[in-house]
Amino acid sequence: MNSRKFRNAMAVYQGFAGHETVRAVLAQIPGELASRLTGEELGMVMTAVTRAHHAGRASTGAEVYDASPVDGAAWIDALGGSVNWRKDGGCLSCRAS
């Protein structure tokens, strides 16, 4: 994609514009489609992909908000609280808060 088309797409795109995020969003759009769209149209499709992703995550009723290879936490709507976990010496322990 040429730089002008990319600039035009980014001017319309309504989502987080970090390099890795933009790369991941663009990876969801088939290359043949991306090459046929104008920069403005591509930005609109990128926005649609981002909104669909966020709507799908919200529909699960849960969100991991902190995670590492050792410990983490997730908010669970049905519990009205979070679940925390920790891996210690091969054992996994969980607690709700």
Side-chain angles (χ1 to χ4, degrees):
M1 169 183 336
N2 68 46
S3 61
R4 181 177 178 196
K5 184 172 185 173
F6 183 76
R7 279 193 314 272
N8 290 341
M10 293 305 294
V12 174
Y13 172 59
Q14 297 174 7
F16 181 71
H19 175 72
E20 292 300 317
T21 300
V22 170
R23 191 170 62 81
V25 169
L26 284 170
Q28 301 307 307
I29 302 169
E32 181 182 334
L33 176 60
S35 66
R36 291 190 315 209
L37 297 173
T38 67
E40 183 178 334
E41 292 167 336
L42 181 58
M44 289 187 280
V45 171
M46 291 170 61
T47 298
V49 167
T50 298
R51 288 181 178 163
H53 167 76
H54 287 289
R57 285 186 62 172
S59 74
T60 66
E63 179 180 357
V64 174
Y65 58 86
D66 184 24
S68 76
V70 177
D71 60 8
W75 176 265
I76 310 293
D77 287 349
L79 296 176
S82 62
V83 174
N84 300 283
W85 64 89
R86 175 175 286 287
K87 184 176 179 183
D88 187 20
C91 296
L92 184 65
S93 61
C94 300
R95 66 180 170 76
S97 57

